[in-house]
């Protein structure tokens, strides 16, 4: 790290954004000084400077919700750091996976892995806080046999759409399949990270 390239603010700090390395989801924003940045690079564990307490803090040192840094980037102006991290547990002190869970606009279109991640979080929430009339809770109530049956049905629908060369039907049915697969993951006590880890092992 060329520290001469960093544009520290008047307090000797720089904002650092933590992003989930697997999903691309923005987890949190905190600040670093030169010492915390050096420790982050040396240890591989995200270390920040607390402006309210006036001291360094290692993410997860008390909660166990650590951040293992996989890559670190400096933006074009040298005044913001972006870290790709492997997050253990929740990033937010509220218990949420990300600190950015309060919508400002009425709707927000989601893309790619972030879309799957947020859908998975919704399924987890339904499991923990059942909602009357929820189809997800209906599946959990019926158990693994029903969920597996739905996975099989949706797989067949994807195949039919593909055989018919109907792209819109394929994407629609595949979205249904993804949803039911995620319900199955939660029922099994697993997470998307378990799947991502397996995919990572298969890269050639």
């Amino acid at each position: 790290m060329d520290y001469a390239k960093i544009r520290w603010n008047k307090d000797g700090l720089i904002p650092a954004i933590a992003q989930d390395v697997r999903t691309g989801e923005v987890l949190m924003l905190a600040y670093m000084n030169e010492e915390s940045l050096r420790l982050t690079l040396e240890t591989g564990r995200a270390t920040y400077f607390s402006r309210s307490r006036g001291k360094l803090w290692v993410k997860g040192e008390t909660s166990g919700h650590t951040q293992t840094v996989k890559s670190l980037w400096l933006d074009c102006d040298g005044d913001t750091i972006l870290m790709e991290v492997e997050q253990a547990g929740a990033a937010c002190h509220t218990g949420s996976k990300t600190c950015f869970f309060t919508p400002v606009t009425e709707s927000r279109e989601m893309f790619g892995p972030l879309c799957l991640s947020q859908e998975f979080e919704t399924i987890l929430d339904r499991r923990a806080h059942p909602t009357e009339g929820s189809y997800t809770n209906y599946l959990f109530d019926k158990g693994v046999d029903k969920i597996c049956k739905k996975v099989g049905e949706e797989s067949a629908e994807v195949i039919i759409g593909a055989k018919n060369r109907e792209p819109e039907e394929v994407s629609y049915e595949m979205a249904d399949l993804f949803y039911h697969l995620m319900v199955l993951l939660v029922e099994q006590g697993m997470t998307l990270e378990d799947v991502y880890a397996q995919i990572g092992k298969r890269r050639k």
Side-chain angles (χ1 to χ4, degrees):
M1 168 66 73
D2 184 354
Y3 291 91
K5 293 182 178 180
I6 298 177
R7 294 176 58 188
W8 307 97
N9 67 15
K10 60 183 179 62
D11 298 316
L13 303 175
I14 186 172
I17 300 167
Q19 180 182 36
D20 191 300
V21 68
R22 293 194 178 98
T23 68
E25 187 173 16
V26 176
L27 300 173
M28 59 177 283
L29 181 147
Y31 287 83
M32 290 182 171
N33 62 8
E34 185 170 339
E35 184 181 2
S36 65
L37 178 55
R38 288 186 186 277
L39 286 171
T40 296
L41 293 171
E42 289 173 6
T43 66
R45 294 185 62 185
T47 304
Y48 302 101
F49 180 83
S50 171
R51 294 175 297 168
S52 60
R53 292 176 289 173
K55 66 177 185 178
L56 302 181
W57 61 285
V58 180
K59 179 64 177 175
E61 59 187 345
T62 56
S63 67
H65 297 168
T66 58
Q67 290 175 348
T68 303
V69 179
K70 297 300 183 179
S71 68
L72 190 147
W73 305 79
L74 190 63
D75 83 332
C76 57
D77 294 320
D79 60 6
T80 305
I81 287 173
L82 174 65
M83 297 185 300
E84 291 183 309
V85 304
E86 188 174 87
Q87 177 70 49
C92 184
H93 72 280
T94 64
S96 175
K97 181 179 180 182
T98 171
C99 293
F100 297 94
F101 57 82
T102 304
V104 176
T105 56
E106 291 186 2
S107 63
R108 179 174 57 181
E109 191 169 2
M110 299 177 294
F111 299 93
L114 178 58
C115 181
L116 288 179
S117 178
Q118 293 195 357
E119 180 73 3
F120 191 80
E121 290 296 320
T122 299
I123 294 170
L124 282 173
D125 184 70
R126 288 289 184 273
R127 183 67 182 267
H129 308 99
T131 301
E132 185 176 355
S134 165
Y135 175 67
T136 303
N137 286 131
Y138 163 78
L139 290 174
F140 284 135
D141 289 342
K142 290 297 182 180
V144 67
D145 288 345
K146 178 66 174 180
I147 297 170
C148 288
K149 181 180 178 183
K150 290 300 298 181
V151 168
E153 290 174 357
E154 298 303 338
S155 298
E157 294 292 340
V158 170
I159 293 170
I160 292 170
K163 295 287 286 184
N164 291 336
R165 298 292 182 182
E166 294 287 349
E168 185 173 351
E169 183 181 349
V170 171
S171 61
Y172 182 89
E173 298 300 343
M174 198 165 287
D176 280 347
L177 177 58
F178 283 178
Y179 161 77
H180 286 92
L181 285 171
M182 288 191 290
V183 172
L184 182 59
L185 277 176
V186 174
E187 195 280 335
Q188 295 286 302
M190 299 171 64
T191 69
L192 287 172
E193 281 68 29
D194 294 314
V195 180
Y196 295 151
Q198 290 296 333
I199 293 173
K201 294 176 182 178
R202 300 179 187 185
R203 292 177 182 168
K204 303 296 184 182

